[in-house]
Structures are given as structure tokens and as C-alpha cells.
Amino acid sequence: MKVLIVGGGGREHALAWKCAQSPRVAQVFVAPGNAGTALESNTRNVAIAADDLEALLEFAAREAIDLTIVGPEGPLVGGIVDRFNAAGLRCFGPTRAAARLEGSKAYTKEFLARHGIPSARHASFTRSNFSADYVRAQPLPVVVKADGLAAGKGVLICETHEAALGACRGMLAGEFGAAGETIVVEEFLRGEEVSFIVIAHDQQVLPLATSQDHKRRDDGDRGPNTGGMGAYSPAPIVDAALHERIMREVIAPTLKGLRADGNPYTGFLYAGLMIAPDGTPNVLEFNCRFGDPETQPIMMRLRSDLTALCEGALDGRLDSLCADWDERAALGVVMAAGGYPESFRKGEPIDGLAAAARLPGKVFHAGTRARGSEIVTNGGRVLCAVGLGCDIVAARRQAYDLVAAIHWNLVQYRRDIGHRAIARELGVVPISGG
Ligand code: AMP
């Protein structure tokens, strides 16, 4: 079969790498891909942007693509699945209406409240009904979110009321464009964050391996929020009891609610959860696709054929499938351009990729491109080095050995990816999250 992966980041490299291993797959195309996907066997980059739905549709029809898997949220929220379905092409992901779960935070907060799914207290505002008094009355810190897609940058955790008011006014004044026309002001939740990702088809659900990521840029979970600086799988905090609770209190009512609202869901469903000290799985957000960088360690552990799982879901056979996992832990360290998530340089030559390729583990590319015979940086998050090991400590060692082999001018990465899980492995339970 022929598979098309839409997107060009680390997540898409991991999805393409995994699909290309399937004996059922003759050819993987990645649109637009990166320098890493270009090097994988049976894999070819296609120069089409991930949000150019017209060109993607035309390409998929011309190449008779059997299965399209969409990486980023933009094309999903833009209705790629509806377009492909209408043309009789199989595209794995939610419809535009179901993808609203990621496309609008105000809608999602209202959805969560209506279906009794645990989440932070909140209020939504537009310019016409904004209440500074409401913001001033909230306990600190206050969380301010732009309603729409803002590439992971639309969430501000404000330590003072002045900062919160400034964030609200900035968003409402258009700092995030249309994404900030509506804002959500939310209670700050304490606890430990978990990424819980499932494959769903209406009420059928196949949970994937658990994972945790690090959103803050700097060691000790400090500094600005980013798209993610590293991730590992499994998440040791998710024991069998918590797993069952998340399925019962979050995943099942969400899929049921979507069906009841007339928007049954197919695709990867990612619940970003804050596990409260009493074990309550509060929903921070939903993503209508796989996480980045969680995909990288999760794909390293997946033994089953991803294309068979996606096709099984599309065929309504998900209940009869199960996913087979490598028992080992996987941990990925994101190597980013200096300055990320603010301004950063592109075009820096990357040294050491060939040496890293001879080591155990796998380096997934994100923001990279080929320039002549060299590979240069082409984005904020550049690479994700993933190690495997009998536990998180061993996986981390392998990942950082890969990192040590690679260098470019102004590279930055965190040195403490997995610190929470490792504290847990060593029997030290962390006090708080953040
Ligand atoms: P979101 O895009 O809504 O997941 O927010 C991005 C990140 O901001 C999350 O992964 C959390 O680390 C943090 N965050 C969002 N909402 C809250 C909240 N209500 N309380 C504490 N942290 C939050």
C-alpha cells in the first residue's frame, strides 16, 4: 500500500519511519517532510505544504494513496478529513467538526463542563464582555489562553493580576490574531502533567502507551512554554488504577459527548491532563492528533503495525485490535535552536549526525533541511534524540549519548528530561508539578 504522512516535524518523521517498516507498505510519502524523512528507506518527500489541502488532495488522488495520516492540527481543523472522505480517499483523523476540540478552547471548556468531565474552573470572554473585575478576583497565578490555534504559544501563566490583565488585553487587541478574539481565563491547577493518547473510532477506543513531556524550555521546568523539549514513555505516574480512571472519567465521556453532539470522533485523540494530588485527571486540553515530541518515544516502543491500527479504526474494527509494546522505556531529548521559542537563527550546519546514526537509539528530525551535501537547521525544534532502555534512567543515558554526538552553533537542550520519572523510579515522589 501507499501511505501519505502530512506534516514536516519530528512527529511526522517518527510516523513515517514507523509506517515504512510495515511489510504492507510499499511507499511512504511525506508532505513536506524534512531532511530526516528524505533519508528513510521507502520514503519520499513531496514539496506540498501541510495546509495546502487542494494540492494534498490532488496528489493523493493522482498517486492512489491508500492511507493518509495527518500529523499537525492545522489541516485537521481546516477540514482535510472531510475533503478526502468526499473524494473517496481514506484519511485518518477527525472531521473538521470533531477537531474543534482542539481548534477552540472556549468550545472545549463548555463541552467539558456540559459532559461533567473534570477540568479547571474558567470563564470565556470576548472584547465586548471582558471583565477586569473577574480577572482581579481570581487567585494567583491566573492562566490566560487564546481560544484558537496559536502553535502552542497561546497560554500564559500570570503571576500577578496586572500581568493577567495585560495578557487578556493583548490577546483581545489582536496579538494572536483571530485566535485571541475569544479568551479563556482559567484557574491554575497543581499536580503532574500526563499525555494520554488513544486511537478512537466513535465509541471504540485503543489506548496507546502513556507518556509525559516537558513543556518549559529550561532545566527544572522553568522558562517559557514551548512546543515540548522532551518526552518519555511510559509515564510511571499512570498506574493501572489511574489508567482506568482516565478511561472512565475522561476518554469515555468525551467520545460519548462527541457522538451525542453529532460529531463522532475518529483519529488520534490526545488528552493533556493535570493529575491532581488526589488523583483527579483534570483535562488541560485536547489535541486532535498525536503529540510532538511524545510521538517519537511512543513510536520507538510500538511493535504493532501502525497502518493496521489506523485502517482497523477506519474499518470499525478497533475493538478487535490490541497494540503490542516494547516493554522498555523510551526517552526523547529535543535539540532546539538557540533563542527558541522566541527568535532563533536558521541555516546553521549540523555536525555529528553520521556519528549519531552509528549509536543505538534514533535521531528524529524536525526543523532540518538539506543544503547541498550538508544538513542545516530550519526551525526552532531541530532534532529529537530518542533512547531505549530497561528503565527511564537507561533510556535517558542512550538519548544523551546521541545528543553528545551532535552539535551546531547555539544549540540548546534540557539536561534533565525525565527527572520526574527518574525521581519516581528512585522512590522519591515529586512534590508539585509545573
Ligand atoms: P494547553 O495548551 O492548554 O495544554 O497549555 C499549555 C501548557 O500550559 C500545559 O501543558 C500546562 O503546562 C500549562 N497549563 C495550561 N493550563 C493550565 C492550568 N489551568 N493550570 C496549570 N498549568 C496549565
Side-chain angles (χ1 to χ4, degrees), residues 57-82:
L57 189 57
E58 196 264 329
F59 175 82
R62 178 161 37 91
E63 283 288 342
I65 299 291
D66 300 287
L67 174 67
T68 298
I69 301 178
V70 185
E73 61 278 18
L76 292 165
V77 172
I80 189 170
V81 170
D82 312 61

Side-chain angles (χ1 to χ4, degrees), residues 70 75-76 79-86 89 91-96:
V70 185
L76 292 165
I80 189 170
V81 170
D82 312 61
R83 301 277 299 271
F84 272 55
N85 285 349
L89 290 162
C91 187
F92 188 68
T95 59
R96 179 188 192 131

Side-chain angles (χ1 to χ4, degrees), residues 102-115:
E102 173 159 9
S104 167
K105 288 188 192 289
Y107 159 81
T108 300
K109 293 298 291 187
E110 182 272 328
F111 174 92
L112 291 167
R114 192 154 42 83
H115 294 288

Side-chain angles (χ1 to χ4, degrees), residues 34-359:
N34 56 40
T37 53
L39 294 174
E40 296 293 344
S41 56
N42 298 342
T43 304
R44 221 178 81 198
N45 286 351
V46 186
I48 302 175
D51 57 0
D52 189 348
L53 305 194
E54 207 61 55
L56 290 169
L57 189 57
E58 196 264 329
F59 175 82
R62 178 161 37 91
E63 283 288 342
I65 299 291
D66 300 287
L67 174 67
T68 298
I69 301 178
V70 185
E73 61 278 18
L76 292 165
V77 172
I80 189 170
V81 170
D82 312 61
R83 301 277 299 271
F84 272 55
N85 285 349
L89 290 162
R90 308 194 97 193
C91 187
F92 188 68
T95 59
R96 179 188 192 131
R100 235 182 128 199
L101 218 48
E102 173 159 9
S104 167
K105 288 188 192 289
Y107 159 81
T108 300
K109 293 298 291 187
E110 182 272 328
F111 174 92
L112 291 167
R114 192 154 42 83
H115 294 288
I117 300 164
S119 183
R121 265 186 301 108
H122 86 290
S124 300
F125 298 104
T126 59
R127 223 183 295 180
S128 59
N129 71 350
F130 179 63
S131 163
D133 287 343
Y134 176 89
V135 175
R136 277 197 204 95
Q138 299 311 304
L140 293 169
V142 181
V143 184
V144 179
K145 300 183 175 184
D147 173 58
L149 297 182
K153 299 186 181 90
V155 175
L156 296 170
I157 295 166
C158 305
E159 303 292 342
T160 65
H161 289 116
E162 284 62 42
L165 286 169
C168 293
R169 292 190 173 122
M171 285 184 190
L172 291 171
E175 249 168 43
F176 288 88
E181 277 170 16
T182 300
I183 60 168
V184 173
V185 178
E186 193 173 283
E187 166 197 15
F188 180 81
L189 295 173
R190 285 170 211 283
E192 195 168 336
E193 270 187 79
V194 165
S195 308
F196 199 87
I197 307 172
V198 303
I199 295 181
H201 177 71
D202 198 351
Q203 306 306 291
Q204 298 182 22
V205 46
L206 179 68
L208 299 176
T210 58
S211 59
Q212 275 176 298
D213 75 341
H214 292 268
K215 286 256 171 19
R216 302 291 197 99
R217 186 187 60 195
D218 303 328
D219 285 358
D221 293 313
R222 292 172 204 286
N225 257 323
T226 68
M229 294 300 285
Y232 48 91
S233 172
I237 183 181
V238 186
D239 57 15
L242 182 56
H243 196 283
E244 192 274 329
R245 203 168 162 188
I246 294 169
M247 289 295 285
R248 180 164 41 85
E249 294 183 26
V250 176
I251 303 297
T254 298
L255 295 174
K256 199 162 154 224
L258 284 159
R259 150 68 85 77
D261 290 357
N263 302 320
Y265 192 99
T266 296
F268 300 113
L269 177 65
Y270 170 126
L273 305 168
M274 184 73 86
I275 309 301
D278 71 354
T280 304
N282 284 301
V283 175
L284 289 177
E285 62 165 345
F286 284 116
N287 292 328
C288 60
R289 33 81 194 177
F290 233 118
D292 188 340
E294 292 94 329
T295 308
Q296 293 87 317
I298 290 178
M299 286 301 119
M300 284 286 276
R301 295 188 58 219
L302 180 63
R303 286 212 172 108
S304 310
D305 185 330
L306 180 65
T307 62
L309 297 180
C310 294
E311 286 208 312
L314 289 169
D315 292 339
R317 290 185 289 105
L318 204 49
D319 277 351
S320 66
L321 299 175
C322 59
D324 183 22
W325 298 100
D326 190 323
E327 286 299 312
R328 290 175 295 173
L331 180 144
V333 178
V334 169
M335 301 180 75
Y340 172 79
E342 285 107 32
S343 63
F344 52 84
R345 293 217 320 239
K346 292 184 183 176
E348 295 287 351
I350 305 172
D351 290 330
L353 287 169
R358 289 191 290 272
L359 297 174

